[in-house]
Amino acid sequence: MTMPVRQAISPVEARGFDTQELRRNFLIESIFTPGRIGLTYSHLDRTIVGGAMPLAGEIVLATEKQVGSDPFLKRREMGVFNIGGAGEVVIDGEAMIAESTDCIYVPAGTGDVRFRSRSSDDPAKFYLVSTPAHTAHPVRRITAEDANRLDLGAQSDANRRILRQYIHPDICETCQLVMGMTVIEDGSVWNTMPCHTHDRRTEFYLYFDMASQTRVFHFMGEPDETRHLVVANEQAILSPGWSIHCGAGTGRYAFIWSMAGDNQDFNDMDFVAMEDLR
């Protein structure tokens, strides 16, 4: 397992970044490596994000120096979202089925976590998000049917989308982690527009379910100093609380969002008027 570190970046610094610096600091270009776990440690709310893609054998979640404790989840909780073939997440010896679009909540204090694919020809792709936690809550498997469904946007604005809240206070008790999935409907391109910031929470996006030539133009930066990143399939964005986060795709796409910070209030957003965007 590898775990590079991303430092927190201030808006003043980000104003001077060129494209390569923006990508180096805010984009994770490779999430899934066959047969391995790859994680990135971000100083944005000390969130760890990455992926596990088991093939014929199982992969064990091991700790790293950056975590500062052993086992990995001694003082952390984790959301595990499968976007690949069927698999299992083994939590302290108990195997939990994880079909595609299932999410598993793994609590603080868990000693041993392993990942398996049902078939190496159609391997599971487990997207992992871990945040600091102060207490343990029950393990949960959450399916798309279990999640809160919100139908948002309008075709006239090209932003019809289905948002599902998986790890959310109404569904699954956690310390601070919130996690869900948004699918852009056919014929729409925009997500999260009008855009917003939420200075009390960090957000991470994993864009997926995209054709090889599809790209999402992810907009970031302060409202009056916007920038953009061109994002391919199964790449992730780190979004500081001071930054807007919205996007438009050249074709079909979906994304998994996660948040951590001072609260779990999904509606705690500071909306940005269209006339204030620059």
Side-chain angles (χ1 to χ4, degrees):
M1 186 174 73
T2 60
M3 192 186 298
V5 176
R6 299 287 181 94
Q7 299 295 332
I9 301 297
S10 79
V12 175
E13 290 176 277
R15 287 185 181 209
F17 286 173
D18 63 13
T19 297
Q20 291 306 313
E21 280 294 291
L22 287 172
R23 293 178 70 86
R24 188 175 69 84
N25 283 281
F26 299 108
L27 177 69
I28 303 174
E29 296 192 65
S30 179
I31 292 290
F32 299 107
T33 302
R36 295 184 60 190
I37 295 178
L39 299 173
T40 296
Y41 186 104
S42 170
H43 280 285
L44 298 173
D45 287 309
R46 299 193 179 274
T47 301
I48 296 174
V49 61
M53 187 177 174
L55 297 177
E58 65 183 17
I59 303 176
V60 180
L61 179 67
T63 195
E64 289 280 332
K65 178 182 178 181
Q66 295 89 337
V67 177
S69 60
D70 190 10
F72 186 98
L73 294 175
K74 183 176 181 179
R75 296 175 61 85
R76 285 182 163 270
E77 59 190 355
M78 183 169 66
V80 180
F81 213 118
N82 185 14
I83 63 168
E88 293 181 341
V89 181
V90 185
I91 302 168
D92 284 338
E94 181 179 352
M96 301 193 71
I97 295 172
E99 305 284 354
S100 183
T101 74
D102 283 358
C103 182
I104 308 293
Y105 172 72
V106 188
T110 299
D112 186 77
V113 181
R114 299 166 186 258
F115 304 98
R116 300 171 181 164
S117 292
R118 189 172 296 168
S119 169
S120 59
D121 295 328
D122 184 21
K125 292 181 177 181
F126 295 110
Y127 177 57
L128 315 176
V129 180
S130 175
T131 55
H134 59 273
T135 192
H137 297 287
V139 175
R140 282 289 307 273
R141 175 192 178 214
I142 307 154
T143 68
E145 290 71 30
D146 297 327
N148 285 336
R149 172 171 170 159
L150 304 175
D151 293 89
L152 303 172
Q155 191 60 56
S156 59
D157 296 324
N159 69 353
R160 286 186 61 189
R161 58 204 189 275
I162 300 170
L163 184 150
R164 287 186 170 90
Q165 299 167 329
Y166 282 72
I167 297 179
H168 180 274
D170 292 342
I171 301 293
C172 175
E173 189 176 8
T174 68
C175 291
Q176 64 168 322
L177 180 64
V178 180
M179 200 169 182
M181 177 178 68
T182 298
V183 176
I184 308 302
E185 295 209 38
D186 289 340
S188 288
V189 297
W190 283 99
N191 71 70
T192 322
M193 181 58 73
C195 64
H196 60 266
T197 64
H198 34 64
D199 201 41
R200 293 152 295 282
R201 293 178 294 167
T202 296
E203 187 157 13
F204 291 73
Y205 276 15
L206 172 71
Y207 287 103
F208 74 105
D209 196 20
M210 296 162 56
S212 61
Q213 295 303 307
T214 297
R215 295 293 183 271
V216 172
F217 287 73
H218 177 93
F219 294 93
M220 61 162 295
E222 296 169 284
D224 62 347
E225 283 282 348
T226 60
R227 304 290 188 268
H228 76 271
L229 294 167
V230 180
V231 184
N233 190 43
E234 296 178 358
Q235 294 184 338
I237 291 286
L238 287 63
S239 182
W242 51 262
S243 177
I244 66 168
H245 43 279
C246 61
T250 63
R252 173 184 173 84
Y253 70 101
F255 60 94
I256 296 170
W257 46 266
S258 65
M259 291 179 281
D262 282 335
N263 63 47
Q264 296 177 309
D265 181 1
F266 184 82
N267 295 314
D268 180 15
M269 309 174 193
D270 299 315
F271 286 96
V272 178
M274 296 298 288
E275 58 268 25
D276 293 335
L277 288 173
R278 296 289 186 272

